[in-house]
């Protein structure tokens, strides 16, 4: 739900759905870059972000759509997570190419965007066991300290502390029994 309480859904074929008068209205091909939506997020500025199976990411400010692709700095066309950290930077996890962070400097213009990518070559993220270059980051959560938890599918979980330190939690005695993390949730008292 966004700031006004509107409910949005991302579907596997019909695109973006918006609940209006208890009926779903789908916005197929009317602005978002694609119709297979794998991730959806409403940020603190009430901007709706959609990550697609193919097509990158689009954001909607209530007036216009802006789309991002690898040509803009996005890590991949297949985006499996979209989120926002406490500093209002946007995070995009991908199916195969790792993670990207966007500092859009609070503007809709792409000219002042600053992108950072995290993959097997420049970060703690690792590829799946059958392909070390295929890095899947499909879920994310923030804990009460501002620490960020990311799945690193087939490897474990990656933690980014508020001070910028990364830690890896992998299959080892006392840590994880299975590294195929599908979702992460943080309880209020953790």
């Amino acid at each position: 739900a966004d700031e006004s309480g509107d409910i949005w859904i991302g579907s596997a074929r019909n695109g973006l759905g918006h609940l209006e008068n208890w009926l779903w209205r789908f916005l197929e091909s009317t602005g978002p870059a694609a119709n297979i939506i794998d991730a959806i997020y409403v940020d603190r500025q009430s901007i709706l972000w959609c990550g697609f199976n193919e097509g990158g990411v689009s954001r909607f400010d209530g007036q216009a759509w802006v789309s991002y692709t690898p040509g803009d700095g996005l890590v991949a066309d297949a985006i499996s997570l979209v989120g926002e950290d406490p500093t209002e930077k946007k995070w995009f996890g991908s199916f195969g190419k790792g993670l990207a962070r966007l500092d859009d400097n609070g503007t809709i213009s792409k000219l002042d965007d600053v992108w950072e990518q995290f993959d097997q070559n420049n970060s703690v993220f690792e590829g799946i066991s059958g392909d070390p270059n295929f890095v899947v980051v499909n879920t994310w959560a923030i804990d009460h300290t501002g620490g960020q938890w990311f799945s690193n599918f087939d490897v474990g979980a990656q933690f980014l502390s508020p001070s910028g330190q990364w830690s890896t939690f992998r299959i080892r005695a006392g840590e994880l029994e299975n590294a195929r993390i599908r979702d992460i949730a943080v309880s209020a008292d953790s």
Side-chain angles (χ1 to χ4, degrees):
D2 63 19
E3 187 178 81
S4 63
D6 287 345
I7 305 295
W8 297 90
I9 62 168
S11 75
R13 287 208 166 68
N14 294 329
L16 182 66
H18 181 233
L19 188 63
E20 296 177 7
N21 299 316
W22 295 102
L23 296 172
W24 290 108
R25 184 174 77 100
F26 285 91
L27 308 174
E28 287 186 66
S29 301
T30 60
N35 282 327
I36 300 175
I37 299 175
D38 284 344
I40 190 168
Y41 184 79
V42 178
D43 72 18
R44 289 178 188 83
Q45 305 301 320
S46 293
I47 306 294
L48 176 70
W49 293 82
C50 298
F52 305 103
N53 180 271
E54 295 177 5
V57 171
S58 292
R59 71 178 181 184
F60 182 61
D61 66 359
Q63 303 293 318
W65 288 94
V66 175
S67 295
Y68 297 88
T69 67
D72 297 307
L74 190 63
V75 71
D77 278 322
I79 299 300
S80 50
L81 90 81
V82 177
E84 180 181 42
D85 70 21
T87 66
E88 297 189 4
K89 291 179 178 67
K90 312 312 181 281
W91 290 86
F92 307 98
S94 75
F95 189 73
K97 298 289 185 181
L99 183 69
R101 178 173 57 194
L102 167 64
D103 182 352
D104 63 8
N105 290 297
T107 71
I108 199 159
S109 172
K110 292 182 181 182
L111 297 177
D112 59 355
D113 289 350
V114 177
W115 288 91
E116 188 173 1
Q117 297 184 357
F118 304 86
D119 60 26
Q120 75 283 0
N121 295 315
N122 67 355
S123 73
V124 297
F125 286 93
E126 299 173 36
I128 62 173
S129 57
D131 183 350
N133 295 315
F134 195 82
V135 180
V136 178
V137 182
N138 61 320
T139 190
W140 167 82
I142 298 178
D143 66 24
H144 74 283
T145 70
Q148 300 175 66
W149 294 87
F150 299 89
S151 69
N152 189 176
F153 195 79
D154 206 25
V155 174
Q158 305 292 357
F159 175 71
L160 177 60
S161 74
S163 66
Q165 293 296 113
W166 287 94
S167 300
T168 301
F169 295 82
R170 61 179 76 242
I171 298 175
R172 285 192 288 234
E175 289 187 5
L176 294 172
E177 291 183 22
N178 184 317
R180 293 188 172 202
I181 298 171
R182 299 272 185 203
D183 208 351
I184 299 173
V186 177
S187 68
D189 61 351
S190 64

